[in-house]
Amino acid sequence: MALSFEEQTRIDLAVTFRIIAHLGMHEAVANHFSAAVSPDGKRFLLNPKWKHFSRIRASDLLLLDAGDGACAQRDDVDATAWAIHGQIHQRLPEARVVLHLHPIYTTSVACLAEPRIPPVDQNTARYFNRVAIDTLYGGMADTAEEGARLAALLAGKSRLLMGNHGVMVTGTAIGEAFDDIWTLERACQILVTAWSTGQPLKILSDAVAEKTARAWEGIPDFSRQHFEEMKALMIAADPSLLD
């Protein structure tokens, strides 16, 4: 029997949590992923409060309505998750998937006085002129106003480098969003390693960087297949995630 859209989304989102934990990109029992399951984007799946990514199953994901303020009062809904993801799904219907993490290298770049990702290789070039930057960190993002502010910064962009905080990636499909945030972390790892040598960076020309970024945008099937390969590994390791 074919799975419904929500059932398949549950599986793919649960897989994404497992992959991120497997790769060590998670942070304790914090951070959140969400995926819309309604045409207007307002009904969305979200991980429950303080459950470790490595233990999340498809059935654990919460089904919430961005337009229902009562969701904020639920014991299993984290306040920061509701503030950020609820506002994005309410305001940006095109953001079908929202991944928020504090991975080491991307967060390190976000902590610079001038957060930036100069194009020094093929991975960093993927983000040339394609990342919004927030430099106004003011503490835990646990209010609707803060969520709305972050949503506004994402207008016209699908990635947000959150100064002194972490990173957020949005997308139209789970597989593509996963590969995007994975490549962003890899790009920042390369960048931080290059900076650590103390030698000057050889930065690509704007023309080459733009050409490379557009080439990345032309191969979404690469991103989807990366996800499918990792998905197969996660299911083989623990089929219970499908429950």
Side-chain angles (χ1 to χ4, degrees):
M1 181 182 295
L3 296 174
S4 69
F5 179 74
E6 180 183 325
E7 289 170 334
Q8 187 61 62
T9 302
R10 282 182 175 277
I11 290 172
D12 288 348
L13 196 57
V15 164
T16 307
F17 288 111
R18 298 295 186 100
I19 297 172
I20 292 299
H22 174 74
L23 296 173
M25 291 172 63
H26 60 301
E27 181 161 295
V29 291
N31 295 167
H32 306 90
F33 297 166
S34 61
V37 294
S38 62
D40 63 2
K42 293 184 179 180
R43 294 178 70 245
F44 64 96
L45 299 172
L46 178 75
N47 49 311
K49 181 179 181 179
W50 299 345
K51 189 174 183 70
H52 199 276
F53 280 19
S54 66
R55 299 181 59 236
I56 290 179
R57 301 170 300 169
S59 60
D60 292 325
L61 298 173
L62 311 176
L63 179 60
L64 305 176
D65 186 335
D68 182 2
C71 292
Q73 309 307 316
R74 292 177 50 162
D75 291 338
D76 54 359
V77 174
D78 180 78
T80 60
W82 175 253
I84 295 174
H85 295 255
Q87 287 298 310
I88 291 175
H89 284 295
Q90 185 167 339
R91 296 168 181 271
L92 302 175
E94 67 276 16
R96 305 296 297 177
V97 183
V98 182
L99 309 182
H100 172 51
L101 287 174
H102 304 161
I104 293 172
Y105 291 97
T106 307
T107 303
S108 295
V109 172
C111 290
L112 298 176
E114 296 183 12
R116 59 193 177 93
I117 304 174
V120 296
D121 80 318
Q122 192 161 283
N123 290 305
T124 49
R126 181 174 181 172
Y127 303 99
F128 180 67
N129 287 339
R130 286 161 171 79
V131 179
I133 297 177
D134 175 27
T135 59
L136 297 177
Y137 178 77
M140 295 287 186
D142 56 2
T143 67
E145 291 75 17
E146 178 65 2
R149 186 184 73 82
L150 294 173
L153 289 172
L154 279 165
K157 296 280 175 63
S158 62
R159 301 111 173 182
L160 178 62
L161 191 60
M162 306 166 76
N164 304 105
H165 187 169
V167 65
M168 186 147 49
V169 167
T170 66
T172 57
I174 290 173
E176 293 174 29
F178 156 72
D179 179 70
D180 198 357
I181 207 165
W182 180 88
T183 304
L184 184 53
E185 174 68 355
R186 175 59 64 93
C188 289
Q189 182 177 7
I190 292 167
L191 188 56
V192 169
T193 302
W195 270 326
S196 72
T197 68
Q199 299 296 310
L201 298 181
K202 183 177 181 180
I203 299 176
L204 300 174
S205 69
D206 287 0
V208 170
E210 178 63 27
K211 177 183 177 181
T212 305
R214 290 187 181 183
W216 273 109
E217 291 168 348
I219 53 170
D221 51 330
F222 170 90
S223 298
R224 291 192 293 267
Q225 190 57 35
H226 180 197
F227 176 73
E228 290 300 325
E229 289 293 311
M230 294 300 295
K231 178 179 177 179
L233 291 173
M234 295 301 100
I235 293 174
D238 183 6
S240 73
L241 74 86
L242 300 173
D243 295 345

